[in-house]
């Protein structure tokens, strides 16, 4: 036997390929936790993972860590995909994610070849949690292990100007699910003599979900073990890598090309659900904030690529359904007297407020339905405004304070009130003073 062949045999016996596979995935997990000892800050991690998966088309049999790459395409409705993804990265903590800055170096195609151009930043999203469970190895032996699970998500799209209208409203996410063992951290110290035993043949069925059962339980039952009573002998397929086989379905449009680690299927399903729920919630938040921002516009901005103008009455009603309203009587019971005023008094109040706050008022009315909305913006604390509503046909009226987020609560141990509450009370006080003036003039 040649020396190089002997070295290859030793590497197989010691599971060197499997350890190298595990080592790189553990480095990635540590980087996602915030450790920059091995990889520099701003390292383009998704590019590395693409290369890593391409370099390991055959997954080592004896690896303790695991990785899965998948894609997810979700419609964004009226919001563009770029806008929605940027919104999620700007508010990542709201969705229990952490933004990860990655520097994408490039070279200019103009001028001298290889001339560097300014680095471009792109942002991924990271979520980390713990998991544990039991599984069977290739010999049918049951094991229990604890894992750190990392979810890395990035936006996969061409530049906005190069996309079709349909593509601009389809959010495509590339995601990676990485599982690293918390127990098996170091390489083997002895040779693995199981290499010389002919392993039983394992067949896997498609991982279709079974009602009432966890995904990893379905995956586990998908293994069909066929015992081959052979003595200890060296066989041809005794290397560290799985031979190529049929793809295994782990979800809608997601397949795995090598025998799937049973616990990985449940984590992939959990990651898919987390991303779908995150995008659905972010769509509501992004739409709400877009409408809220446009409420403050007197005229459309010249730099607005989406050409969004002032709000319509229908969009205002959509916004009011997505925010939080509080009656002035709930803020101060002494103000409840204003809620008993007639429709004609509210009509005169709207006129007075329009003359008192010409730059801060937004007036919406439907003459056919007899409804009017008057928004009095708070220029100091832009997350709230005062809303006057009247319906001349039904006689309904209201005077409320509207908050973009839930009403802030004053901490019990705090002596001074929150700045948001102070600004809100000052703004409400100015509106109430105007209402008192309207009440006084009505008596003259």
């Amino acid at each position: 036997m040649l020396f190089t062949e002997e070295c290859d045999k030793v590497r197989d016996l010691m599971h060197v390929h499997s350890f190298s596979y595990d080592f790189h995935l553990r480095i990635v997990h540590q980087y996602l936790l915030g450790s920059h000892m091995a990889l520099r800050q701003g390292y383009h991690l998704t590019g590395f993972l693409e290369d890593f998966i391409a370099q390991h088309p055959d997954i080592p049999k004896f690896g303790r860590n695991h990785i899965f790459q998948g894609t997810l395409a979700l419609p964004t409705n009226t919001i563009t995909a770029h806008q929605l993804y940027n919104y999620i990265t700007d508010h990542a903590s709201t969705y229990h994610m952490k933004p990860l800055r990655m520097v994408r170096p490039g070279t200019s195609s103009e001028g001298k070849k290889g001339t560097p151009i300014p680095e471009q930043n792109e942002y991924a999203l990271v979520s980390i949690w713990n998991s544990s469970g039991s599984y069977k190895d290739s010999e049918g032996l049951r094991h229990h292990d604890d894992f750190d699970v990392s979810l890395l998500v990035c936006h996969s799209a061409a530049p906005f100007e190069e996309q079709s209208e349909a593509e601009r409203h389809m959010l495509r996410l590339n995601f990676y699910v990485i599982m690293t063992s918390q127990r098996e951290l170091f390489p083997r110290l002895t040779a693995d003599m199981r290499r010389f035993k002919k392993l039983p043949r394992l067949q896997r069925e498609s991982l279709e979900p079974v009602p009432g059962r966890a995904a990893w339980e379905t995956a586990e039952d998908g293994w069909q073990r066929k015992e081959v009573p052979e003595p200890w002998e060296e066989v041809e397929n005794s290397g560290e890598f799985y031979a190529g086989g049929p793809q295994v379905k782990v979800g809608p449009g997601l397949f795995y090309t090598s025998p799937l680690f049973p616990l990985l299927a449940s984590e992939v399903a959990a990651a898919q659900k987390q991303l779908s729920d995150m995008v659905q919630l972010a769509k509501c938040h992004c739409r709400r904030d877009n409408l809220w921002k446009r409420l403050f516009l007197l005229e459309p901005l010249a730099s607005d690529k989406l050409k969004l103008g002032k709000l319509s009455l229908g969009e205002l009603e959509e916004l009011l359904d997505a925010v939080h309203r509080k009656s002035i009587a709930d803020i101060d019971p002494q103000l409840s007297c204003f809620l008993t005023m007639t429709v004609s008094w509210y009509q005169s109040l709207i006129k007075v407020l329009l003359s008192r706050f010409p730059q801060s008022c937004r007036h919406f009315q439907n003459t056919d339905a007899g409804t009017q909305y008057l928004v009095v913006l708070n220029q100091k604390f832009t997350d709230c405004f005062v809303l006057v509503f009247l319906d001349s046909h039904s006689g309904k009226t209201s005077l409320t304070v509207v908050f973009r987020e839930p009403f802030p609560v004053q901490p019990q141990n705090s002596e001074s009130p929150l700045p948001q509450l102070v600004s809100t009370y000052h703004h409400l006080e100015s509106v109430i003073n105007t209402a008192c003036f309207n009440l006084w003039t009505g008596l003259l």
Side-chain angles (χ1 to χ4, degrees):
M1 180 180 291
L2 297 177
F3 174 75
T4 54
E5 294 177 350
E6 187 68 23
C7 291
D8 291 337
K9 181 178 179 180
V10 172
R11 280 196 291 267
D12 281 348
L13 291 173
M14 301 300 293
H15 297 173
V16 172
H17 297 292
S18 297
F19 170 72
S20 174
Y21 188 85
D22 289 348
F23 172 79
H24 285 89
L25 292 182
R26 193 172 298 282
I27 290 294
V28 170
H29 172 71
Q30 292 175 351
Y31 182 79
L32 294 177
L33 285 176
S35 173
H36 301 132
M37 296 180 63
L39 302 175
R40 68 180 184 276
Q41 191 170 5
Y43 183 75
H44 198 268
L45 193 59
T46 56
F48 166 78
L49 290 178
E50 289 179 3
D51 295 339
F52 177 79
I53 293 175
Q55 291 295 324
H56 295 83
D58 298 324
I59 299 175
K61 293 179 182 178
F62 306 104
R64 291 99 169 233
N65 302 335
H66 311 273
I67 183 172
F68 180 87
Q69 179 185 18
T71 59
L72 201 61
L74 300 168
T76 60
N77 301 335
T78 58
I79 309 168
T80 63
H82 274 82
Q83 184 182 20
L84 180 59
Y85 186 79
N86 291 338
Y87 181 89
I88 295 175
T89 55
D90 291 340
H91 303 83
S93 60
T94 304
Y95 311 105
H96 309 289
M97 304 289 280
K98 181 180 69 173
L100 177 68
R101 183 180 67 89
M102 300 186 299
V103 178
R104 182 176 55 193
T107 56
S108 175
S109 58
E110 300 179 0
K112 296 182 180 179
K113 186 177 181 180
T115 302
I117 62 174
E119 293 178 331
Q120 298 177 344
N121 291 332
E122 57 182 276
Y123 290 86
L125 298 168
V126 177
S127 180
I128 297 175
W129 64 91
N130 298 324
S131 176
S132 63
S134 300
Y135 62 95
K136 291 181 181 179
D137 62 13
S138 57
E139 289 189 303
L141 301 177
R142 181 172 292 276
H143 301 271
H144 183 87
D145 203 351
D146 300 316
F147 292 90
D148 293 312
V149 185
S150 307
L151 172 63
L152 178 65
V153 188
C154 63
H155 186 204
S156 174
F160 183 81
E161 293 77 8
E162 300 177 7
Q163 293 181 345
S164 64
E165 188 63 27
E167 284 294 320
R168 290 180 179 181
H169 295 275
M170 182 63 68
L171 180 62
R172 300 187 184 278
L173 299 175
N174 282 344
F175 68 93
Y176 301 86
V177 178
I178 302 171
M179 295 184 68
T180 53
S181 173
Q182 295 180 355
R183 299 185 180 185
E184 303 291 345
L185 305 180
F186 303 104
R188 296 180 59 86
L189 297 178
T190 58
D192 184 9
M193 298 309 295
R194 289 183 301 173
R195 175 181 184 274
F196 297 96
K197 184 179 180 181
K198 193 169 185 178
L199 298 177
R201 295 180 181 178
L202 300 177
Q203 295 180 353
R204 170 176 288 281
E205 297 176 349
S206 296
L207 295 180
E208 299 293 346
V210 178
R213 305 185 62 187
W216 67 269
E217 292 178 332
T218 306
E220 183 178 300
D221 292 344
W223 291 95
Q224 296 180 349
R225 185 174 178 222
K226 295 182 180 180
E227 297 289 352
V228 182
E230 295 285 344
W232 292 87
E233 59 175 314
E234 186 169 1
V235 295
E236 292 182 4
N237 186 22
S238 59
E240 276 198 76
F241 299 99
Y242 289 107
Q247 291 185 331
V248 178
K249 184 178 181 181
V250 298
L254 298 180
F255 296 89
Y256 205 64
T257 55
S258 297
L260 181 67
F261 180 62
L263 299 181
L264 184 58
S266 61
E267 301 304 332
V268 171
Q272 277 189 294
K273 186 178 186 307
Q274 179 181 349
L275 292 178
S276 298
D277 294 344
M278 177 190 72
V279 171
Q280 187 63 33
L281 183 60
K283 283 196 298 185
C284 299
H285 291 169
C286 185
R287 175 64 175 171
R288 175 202 65 190
D289 290 357
N290 285 343
L291 295 175
W292 189 280
K293 185 182 300 183
R294 287 170 54 196
L295 188 61
F296 281 78
L297 294 178
L298 285 173
E299 296 295 337
L301 296 177
S303 60
D304 190 356
K305 294 182 179 180
L306 300 178
K307 300 179 180 180
L308 298 177
K310 294 187 295 184
L311 251 61
S312 65
L313 176 60
E315 290 174 327
L316 174 67
E317 293 175 341
E318 178 187 351
L319 173 62
L320 294 178
D321 290 337
V323 293
H324 305 267
R325 284 187 275 184
K326 201 174 185 69
S327 174
I328 58 172
D330 295 332
I331 297 177
D332 188 346
Q334 299 181 65
L335 302 178
S336 58
C337 60
F338 291 103
L339 302 179
T340 61
M341 295 300 174
T342 62
V343 171
S344 60
W345 184 86
Y346 268 86
Q347 289 175 335
S348 63
L349 174 63
I350 289 177
K351 294 178 181 179
V352 174
L353 288 172
L354 284 170
S355 61
R356 174 69 177 82
F357 305 100
Q359 298 297 320
S360 300
C361 285
R362 305 290 184 267
H363 190 209
F364 304 85
Q365 60 180 335
N366 185 336
T367 54
D368 295 334
T371 57
Q372 292 188 60
Y373 295 88
L374 182 70
V375 174
V376 185
L377 302 176
N378 185 350
Q379 301 295 348
K380 293 184 178 179
F381 177 49
T382 58
D383 277 358
C384 84
F385 60 78
V386 176
L387 177 69
V388 182
F389 168 77
L390 69 88
D391 186 340
S392 57
H393 291 174
S394 64
K396 293 182 179 179
T397 59
S398 66
L399 187 56
T400 57
V401 181
V402 180
F403 296 88
R404 188 175 62 88
E405 299 286 353
F407 186 76
V409 180
Q410 175 67 28
Q412 296 180 353
N413 300 329
S414 177
E415 297 180 357
S416 58
L418 295 173
Q420 303 94 314
L421 291 175
V422 173
S423 179
T424 300
Y425 292 149
H426 285 170
H427 182 57
L428 179 58
E429 182 181 356
S430 63
V431 174
I432 295 300
N433 287 338
T434 306
C436 291
F437 171 78
N438 183 57
L439 188 62
W440 174 258
T441 55
L443 298 176
L444 299 178

